[in-house]
């Protein structure tokens, strides 16, 4: 896996940018950084599930973002909130059975359908047992065995289950989000030991974390940098193989919202009604106007004359008619019960 100047931009700006990654097959890559720094976006981008807007990456000899579908075929997601969540009402056996059926349906060979039912069942059982062993999950230790519901699992047990489900497809790249979230020291150590074992088996593992583990081969850090970018780098577990690199500042000038600069100044949009401006004084004339070309009080002829806007009376009539049309439409919806 290799990435240079990798970056993803969303509707609200850059999720991350300027990320460099270099990791060999069977590496345990820790994606570290504060919450909201783009760690999950980087995880999804490197597995072909989010399109990068700058830079490029090469995963398993396949270039991103050009061939995202090809990367998805040999990568798998374990625990990624909002993407691969477990169903709390399903049992462990039901999750494993569903994952095995989906693998056979979308990733298996069509020739497998020519085998007997008993042969296919035995093959699925072999895959499930191998995946459970690699994830370190023994169903016999659960309260109700394989019939234990997900809601009754501990956080580490649920993490092991998601890893086992992902390994059913025998991927070359495994992604895990929030690896050490809500785990004690002993449980976090057990989780990293499990991922280290998976990586030693030849699977490249991407794991988002808060604390960098000693088992990591490569560390990629994401975080806020001056100018709205992110700083990222790659290094060994001891930090001796690299330093964080500062990403380029976001030259977009802040928010991507249309007209964002005007909103930041606190100015009201042009053409606002007079109710937002000054109210009429004791003499019946407007004290101020909200914007150029709109009067503070549509009923004050003197205010309209002072501004020199000869079309104010016509504009006021159009506004009143427009408001009447809106009120009439609202009344119609209310009468039909669909408002």
């Amino acid at each position: 896996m290799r990435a240079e100047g990798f970056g993803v931009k969303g509707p609200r700006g850059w999720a991350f940018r300027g990320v460099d990654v270099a990791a060999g097959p069977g590496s345990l890559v820790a994606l570290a950084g504060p919450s909201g720094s783009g760690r999950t976006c980087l995880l999804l981008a490197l597995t072909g599930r989010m399109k990068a807007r700058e830079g490029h990456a090469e995963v398993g000899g396949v270039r991103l973002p050009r061939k995202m579908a090809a990367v998805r075929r040999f990568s798998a997601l374990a625990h990624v909130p909002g993407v691969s969540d477990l169903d709390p009402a399903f049992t462990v056996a039901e999750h494993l059975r569903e994952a095995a059926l989906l693998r056979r349906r979308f990733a298996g060979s069509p020739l497998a359908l020519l085998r007997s039912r008993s042969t296919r069942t035995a093959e699925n059982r072999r895959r499930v047992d191998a995946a459970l062993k690699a994830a370190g999950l023994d169903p016999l230790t659960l309260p109700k065995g394989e019939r234990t519901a997900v809601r009754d699992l501990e956080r580490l047990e649920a993490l092991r289950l998601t890893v086992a489900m992902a390994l059913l497809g025998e991927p070359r790249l495994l992604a895990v989000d929030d690896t050490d979230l809500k785990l004690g020291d002993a449980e976090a150590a057990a989780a990293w030991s499990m991922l280290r074992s998976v990586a030693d088996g030849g699977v490249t593992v991407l794991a988002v974390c808060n604390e960098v583990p000693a088992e990591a081969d490569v560390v990629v850090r994401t975080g806020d940098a001056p100018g709205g970018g992110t700083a990222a780098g790659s290094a060994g577990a001891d930090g001796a193989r690299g330093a964080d690199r500062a990403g380029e500042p976001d030259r977009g000038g802040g928010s991507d919202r249309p007209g964002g600069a005007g909103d930041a100044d606190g100015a009201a949009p042009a053409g606002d009604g007079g109710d937002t401006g000054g109210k009429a004084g004791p003499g019946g004339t407007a004290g101020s106007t909200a914007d150029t070309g709109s009067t503070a009080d549509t009923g004050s002829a003197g205010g309209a004359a002072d501004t020199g806007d000869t079309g104010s009376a016509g504009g006021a009539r159009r506004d009143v008619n427009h408001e009447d049309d809106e009120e009439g439409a609202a009344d119609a919806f209310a009468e039909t019960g669909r408002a």
Side-chain angles (χ1 to χ4, degrees):
M1 176 188 301
R2 186 177 301 276
E4 296 180 1
F6 212 46
V8 167
K9 188 176 183 180
R12 298 184 179 182
W14 290 97
F16 67 88
R17 68 185 312 188
V19 171
D20 298 334
V21 183
S27 298
L28 176 54
V29 182
L31 307 180
S35 178
S37 61
R39 300 173 303 173
T40 302
C41 292
L42 176 58
L43 184 83
L44 295 175
L46 290 174
T47 54
R49 289 163 174 84
M50 187 170 285
K51 189 172 183 179
R53 292 288 299 273
E54 72 174 5
H56 65 274
E58 188 173 298
V59 180
V62 180
R63 192 175 180 87
L64 290 173
R66 182 177 301 174
K67 297 182 178 180
M68 297 171 58
V71 174
R72 289 196 296 271
R73 280 194 284 270
F74 62 77
S75 63
L77 300 181
H79 172 69
V80 180
V83 181
S84 57
D85 293 311
L86 298 175
D87 191 323
F90 278 21
T91 65
V92 172
E94 288 170 339
H95 274 98
L96 292 171
R97 188 180 304 115
E98 181 185 51
L101 290 174
L102 289 173
R103 184 211 64 80
R104 190 174 67 186
R105 170 65 178 82
F106 295 103
S109 170
L111 297 178
L113 298 176
L114 301 178
R115 301 174 184 173
S116 64
R117 184 183 182 88
S118 60
T119 301
R120 296 198 303 268
T121 301
E123 174 66 15
N124 285 342
R125 187 71 253 180
R126 182 195 66 80
R127 285 179 177 272
V128 169
D129 291 342
L132 289 174
K133 182 178 180 180
L137 180 62
D138 185 1
L140 297 178
T141 62
L142 302 178
K144 297 180 181 179
E146 289 188 344
R147 294 185 296 109
T148 303
V150 167
R151 65 167 64 92
D152 298 326
L153 296 177
E154 300 291 339
R155 169 72 174 86
L156 179 58
E157 293 171 340
L159 177 64
R160 291 184 187 275
L161 176 58
T162 61
V163 172
M165 293 170 57
L167 293 177
L168 283 176
E170 298 179 351
R172 293 153 53 190
L173 177 63
L174 175 67
V176 187
D177 195 11
D178 291 339
T179 304
D180 53 0
L181 181 66
K182 297 181 181 180
L183 292 180
D185 293 340
E187 293 177 327
W192 286 115
S193 177
M194 177 259 296
L195 294 179
R196 177 72 267 174
S197 176
V198 171
D200 291 340
V203 180
T204 302
V205 179
L206 296 175
V208 172
C209 59
N210 294 318
E211 300 292 335
V212 178
E215 292 84 356
D217 297 313
V218 178
V219 177
V220 179
R221 298 185 183 275
T222 60
D224 294 334
T230 61
S234 60
D238 56 359
R241 283 188 283 171
D244 293 347
R245 296 182 176 86
E248 295 182 1
D250 187 357
R251 297 175 181 174
S255 172
D256 292 333
R257 295 185 298 114
D263 293 345
D265 293 336
D272 282 352
D275 290 342
T276 59
K279 295 185 178 180
T285 58
S288 62
T289 58
D291 285 297
T292 304
S294 65
T295 62
D297 191 343
T298 56
S300 173
D306 290 340
T307 57
D309 186 359
T310 58
S312 297
R317 286 193 297 271
R318 285 193 297 271
D319 291 342
V320 172
N321 293 335
H322 181 68
E323 292 176 358
D324 291 342
D325 292 340
E326 291 183 343
E327 291 178 357
D331 292 341
F333 275 111
E335 291 175 0
T336 57
R338 294 187 299 171

